[in-house]
Amino acid sequence: AIAALPSLAAEWLPRVIAEFRALYPGVGLNLFDVVLERTLSLVREGTVDLAINANVGLDEEFDTRPLFDDGFFLVCRPDHPLARRRSIRLEALSGLAYIHSIRSASMWQLLYPHLREVPLRDTGIEVSYLSTLAGLFANGLGVSVVTGVSLFNFTRVGLCFVRVDDDGLRYQV
C-alpha cells in the first residue's frame, strides 16, 4: 500500500506502478492519493507501507530516501508579460496577483519561506486542488508557483510555465 501526493499519483507514479505490475503481476497494490499530512497519518497508522511526497523535514520522524529533485515553476496565461521568459527569480512576482495553494500542502511549505519577502498582490484566493488553480489561471485571475511534477495540470488548458531559479529553492521527492 502506497500513499502519494495527488500530483505524483496522477502523472509520475502510474508509470512506476505499470513497470512494477509488469515485473510482479501477482502482487496487489493499493494507492491512496492524498495530501501531505494524510500521507504521513497513513504511514503512522500502518495503513500504508510507504508514502511518496516532498521532503519537508521528515527525516527526524521517518526513514526517508530521496527519489528525485524537482523544480518550481511560475504558471501563467500565454499573454502574461512573464510567459516568454526562460526563467525568473521570485522577485519578478512583485506586485502580481497571486493565488495560493493550501498552507498544509508540501509545495506551500517549501515555497513560502522564499516567497514571503516578495510583495505580492494577494488575491485572497487559496485553493486545495491544482485543477482549480488551472481554471483560475486560465481565466486571468492570477498566477502561482507550482512544482514541475504538477505541470501536466496546466499544459492541458494551454497555460505557460517559467522555471523559477532561486538559490536554495528545491522540491525533493
Side-chain angles (χ1 to χ4, degrees):
I2 300 171
L5 297 175
S7 57
L8 294 166
E11 184 78 1
W12 174 81
L13 192 54
R15 290 188 297 267
V16 175
I17 291 172
E19 186 177 322
F20 178 84
R21 285 257 163 110
L23 293 170
Y24 308 100
V27 178
L29 185 119
N30 291 325
L31 176 62
F32 296 80
D33 58 337
V34 292
V35 296
L36 175 67
E37 287 305 319
R38 186 68 183 131
T39 66
L40 304 178
S41 294
L42 289 169
V43 171
R44 287 181 191 111
E45 297 164 6
T47 303
V48 299
D49 300 298
L50 63 105
I52 303 173
N53 55 40
N55 188 357
V56 288
L58 305 175
D59 296 338
E60 296 164 11
E61 182 179 1
F62 298 99
D63 181 22
T64 64
R65 301 278 191 289
L67 296 175
F68 61 90
D69 284 336
D70 193 14
F72 281 92
F73 295 83
L74 167 72
V75 179
C76 59
R77 288 170 43 123
D79 59 354
H80 192 278
L82 296 176
R84 302 237 188 273
R85 306 265 302 266
R86 286 181 166 257
S87 66
I88 62 162
R89 295 190 59 78
L90 287 175
E91 49 266 8
L93 304 177
S94 181
L96 296 182
Y98 194 84
I99 301 171
H100 293 277
S101 64
I102 58 170
R103 296 178 198 284
S104 61
S106 58
M107 179 171 55
W108 189 90
Q109 291 178 32
L110 293 168
L111 179 62
Y112 183 72
H114 299 268
L115 196 59
R116 69 176 165 222
E117 300 301 320
V118 179
L120 302 169
R121 190 162 42 95
D122 192 346
T123 60
I125 302 172
E126 182 179 311
V127 300
S128 300
Y129 298 101
L130 296 171
S131 55
T132 305
L133 275 177
L136 294 168
F137 299 156
N139 285 282
L141 295 172
V143 300
S144 195
V145 174
V146 301
T147 60
V149 293
S150 65
L151 290 177
F152 70 94
N153 291 284
F154 308 106
T155 57
R156 293 177 179 174
V157 292
L159 295 167
C160 294
F161 53 90
V162 180
R163 177 174 288 284
V164 175
D165 285 325
D166 271 43
D167 299 334
L169 181 61
R170 71 178 204 171
Y171 189 82
Q172 184 183 64
V173 175

